[in-house]
Amino acid sequence: MGDPGGTVAGGIGAIAALPGVRLRGVSRLYATEPVGVIDQPEFRNAVVALDAPAGNDPATGALALLVALKELERAFGRQDRKRWGPRELDLDLLVFGRHRIAVERPPAARSADPAKPTDLVVPHRFARERLFVLAPLSDLAPRLVPPGWHETVESARRRRERIEGADAVRPIATWDAERSAWTQPSS
């Protein structure tokens, strides 16, 4: 909602400013058709790679990061609306190192919508089937085989592109780390 590219850029800056977090990389910004509720504007998606504290164990570290991400969503004005509908900012935890995690979310990391899951599953339960996730994730980690997958991120991306079509996901901007802003590709 609003200025999606600017909001995503602001979200990246806020994530990079989290205590103990180091921003390692930012994918290109992608435009895709919406999924779920299709009567809404195109999605804008990017993926960031982070070094984040793992805590006493991977589940503790993942939950701490998820709580911080949900706090950032609220700081950006995120409101609970119907599932998969328009939103101000949506931050998901896709992968956490080489760990498989399935734990109950603490209240600070839950949605008020009772239809939304109350557990955290990492790798993200829908990542393999969402081209809008796979395209930016493959920018940063094409050869990664997330725990429980039997293919690389790039292979999963190609598989989804064959299903959805090559034009289903379009890179529209590149991250300029020096300016902390998106740059449009030159024509």
Side-chain angles (χ1 to χ4, degrees):
M1 297 180 70
D3 171 17
T7 300
V8 173
I12 292 167
I15 291 168
L18 289 172
V21 169
R22 181 171 162 231
L23 186 66
R24 303 281 298 189
V26 178
S27 73
R28 293 175 287 178
L29 181 66
Y30 285 85
T32 61
E33 292 300 316
V35 171
V37 176
I38 58 172
D39 184 23
Q40 62 179 318
E42 285 185 317
F43 286 175
R44 295 293 185 265
N45 288 284
V47 168
V48 298
L50 307 172
D51 284 337
N56 294 331
D57 63 85
T60 301
L63 286 170
L65 180 57
L66 182 65
V67 166
L69 295 177
K70 296 305 163 189
E71 288 172 357
L72 289 178
E73 286 180 352
R74 289 187 286 278
F76 275 77
R78 171 84 184 251
Q79 313 227 347
D80 283 316
R81 294 186 176 84
K82 71 179 172 181
R83 191 167 191 196
W84 294 320
R87 55 211 109 160
E88 293 77 11
L89 184 64
D90 185 27
L91 302 173
D92 291 318
L93 184 54
L94 303 175
V95 179
F96 196 77
R98 301 267 183 207
H99 305 287
R100 267 184 118 156
I101 300 168
V103 294
E104 197 68 19
R105 291 177 186 227
R110 291 185 187 171
S111 168
D113 181 349
K116 292 185 180 178
T118 60
D119 60 340
L120 170 64
V121 175
V122 178
H124 190 284
R125 59 173 40 101
F126 300 120
R128 269 183 83 194
E129 303 306 320
R130 291 182 172 163
L131 188 54
F132 67 82
V133 172
L134 294 167
L137 185 56
S138 70
D139 281 355
L140 299 179
R143 292 188 300 270
L144 173 67
V145 178
W149 292 24
H150 302 292
E151 63 185 338
T152 64
V153 169
E154 182 60 30
S155 295
R157 175 192 177 152
R158 286 193 311 270
R159 177 179 47 77
R160 289 305 306 174
E161 281 182 343
R162 285 191 298 275
I163 293 167
E164 297 182 35
D167 59 344
V169 60
R170 300 178 326 278
I172 59 170
T174 302
W175 186 250
D176 181 336
E178 287 184 22
R179 293 181 33 236
S180 295
W182 299 110
T183 59
Q184 305 301 314
S186 55
S187 336

